[in-house]
Amino acid sequence: MKISQLQQKIGQRIRELRESKGISQQNLAAVCNFEKANLSRIEAGRTNTTVSTLYKISQALEVPLSELVDVE
């Protein structure tokens, strides 16, 4: 799997979890203390996100970090 594909799958997973919990991009970004545009890029798979950012997102979504990266 290419890195770009991995980024897209992780972003898609984040979007699915966020939407299943009824949380808007704006609200999730605010809880994680970053701009909505950054979250949008992450969900679109257009950025190589750090582990610490993924951890913040997992905490905000109240799921284990492994839930975000289990994409295979």
Side-chain angles (χ1 to χ4, degrees), residues 44-71:
R46 294 190 315 257
T47 186
N48 191 2
T49 308
T50 65
V51 173
S52 59
T53 297
L54 290 174
Y55 182 73
K56 284 181 187 179
I57 294 170
S58 72
Q59 293 297 293
L61 291 173
E62 299 178 335
V63 297
L65 178 59
S66 60
E67 187 85 13
L68 300 184
V69 297
D70 186 15
V71 293

Side-chain angles (χ1 to χ4, degrees), residues 25-43:
Q25 272 190 342
Q26 183 68 45
N27 287 344
L28 181 57
V31 170
C32 294
N33 199 29
F34 44 77
E35 299 291 325
K36 179 186 173 284
N38 291 339
L39 182 59
S40 179
R41 280 191 294 274
I42 292 168
E43 287 188 355

Side-chain angles (χ1 to χ4, degrees), residues 4-17:
S4 61
Q5 291 172 312
L6 178 61
Q7 289 171 193
Q8 289 175 344
K9 287 185 176 196
I10 290 172
Q12 181 179 352
R13 183 72 181 134
I14 292 169
R15 182 180 306 113
E16 289 169 357
L17 289 166

